[in-house]
Amino acid sequence: MAEQAETLRRAPLSRDRILHAAVALADEAGIDSLSMRNLAQDLGVVPMALYKHIANKDELLDGMIDVVVGEIDPPVPDADWKHAVRRRILSARQLLQRHPWAPLAIESRNMATPAVLAYLDSMIGTLRAGGFSADLAHHVMHAMGSRILGFSQELFDASRRAGRSGTTKPTPPAALPPEIATRFPHLAEIAEAASHDDASVVGPGCDDQFEFEFALDLLLDGIERLQQQGWTSAHRR
């Protein structure tokens, strides 16, 4: 491993090498630790050397996002739309387990990066090839939101602010204090009913994963029903 690291340090500096090094640094220490100075030190170069390939921190983040989004599984040829969409969304969620800083980085961008645009375009292409009208595909993308990239915003989820993004196995929540449980009995009831799902597609024993797949399947089942009914946005009126 030491020899491989030394080989990488001696490799010619390039945009691709910088971006992959930045992703590795963010994976290891979190996105907040990432700076051009720290990255240059990790690569064994002076900071000014980076600016020949990357203009600034914003361009660096855009490139890092494109690197990780490029890890999403490609479309499966001739697969039915529902299977293809589900498979790729869960592939996107898997990459967030490898790169827990990515959701907040994606949300911080004012515009989608080229790789994100390409991924979204291919997902719409899958829907259109599956018989969806442009109108229904439009509303499906709104309904999916960030879930199509493998993450969603849970209520009062402090782990996302810490860069964990809700994709790693969480610490079991503490029981509600008796006075809170008495005041809010329905919340207490579902807190007691929380369970694990050992047959999760991505990994065993992960509540967050189960909840993500549960909501995803609800959406896909409802979308499938609308598509079969020939739904259009005119129906809402």
Side-chain angles (χ1 to χ4, degrees):
M1 292 294 293
E3 292 179 358
Q4 291 178 350
E6 184 61 25
T7 299
L8 287 174
R9 286 176 68 86
R10 292 180 179 179
L13 198 62
S14 66
R15 177 183 172 84
D16 186 65
R17 183 185 167 208
I18 292 170
L19 293 177
H20 280 84
V23 168
L25 186 60
D27 289 345
E28 180 180 357
I31 197 70
D32 289 340
S33 69
L34 182 66
S35 68
M36 300 297 269
R37 182 176 297 277
N38 289 343
L39 182 57
Q41 183 178 1
D42 196 57
L43 287 164
V45 300
V46 297
M48 286 305 298
L50 302 181
Y51 291 101
K52 296 179 181 179
H53 305 275
I54 305 289
N56 50 44
K57 182 76 172 288
D58 281 337
E59 185 177 323
L60 179 67
L61 285 173
D62 285 347
M64 292 168 65
I65 290 168
D66 281 353
V67 167
V68 299
V69 171
E71 297 176 13
I72 300 174
D73 289 344
V76 177
D78 302 322
D80 71 276
W81 72 265
K82 190 176 180 182
H83 172 79
V85 168
R86 190 179 195 277
R87 179 178 180 274
R88 295 194 78 199
I89 288 175
L90 293 180
S91 172
R93 189 162 176 83
Q94 281 184 315
L95 81 84
L96 298 187
Q97 292 183 311
R98 299 190 293 271
H99 312 291
W101 51 268
L104 290 177
I106 292 171
E107 290 176 345
S108 74
R109 302 295 85 200
N110 292 326
M111 295 184 62
T113 65
V116 171
L117 289 173
Y119 171 70
L120 296 178
D121 185 76
S122 71
M123 291 293 264
I124 296 170
T126 297
L127 296 174
R128 296 286 282 135
F132 283 65
S133 66
D135 178 44
L136 180 54
H138 172 182
H139 293 290
V140 167
M141 297 300 286
H142 276 293
M144 286 292 187
S146 66
R147 192 175 302 277
I148 207 163
L149 282 162
F151 67 94
S152 59
Q153 176 64 64
E154 297 291 342
L155 291 174
F156 314 115
D157 183 6
S159 67
R160 284 174 54 75
R161 293 193 296 274
R164 187 164 60 83
S165 77
T167 60
T168 55
K169 189 173 181 179
T171 302
L176 290 176
E179 63 276 13
I180 300 298
T182 300
R183 186 176 178 183
F184 305 108
H186 300 304
L187 285 174
E189 182 181 31
I190 66 167
E192 288 292 328
S195 63
H196 292 270
D197 177 24
D198 292 332
S200 173
V201 169
V202 175
C206 182
D207 285 337
D208 290 335
Q209 184 63 34
F210 177 83
E211 300 302 345
F212 184 88
E213 292 179 32
F214 177 75
L216 175 61
D217 288 336
L218 284 179
L219 280 169
L220 291 175
D221 289 346
I223 290 165
E224 181 179 41
R225 184 174 67 253
L226 292 178
Q227 192 262 343
Q228 291 172 345
Q229 294 172 352
W231 184 93
T232 72
S233 59
H235 291 179
R236 64 186 175 182
R237 290 184 286 273

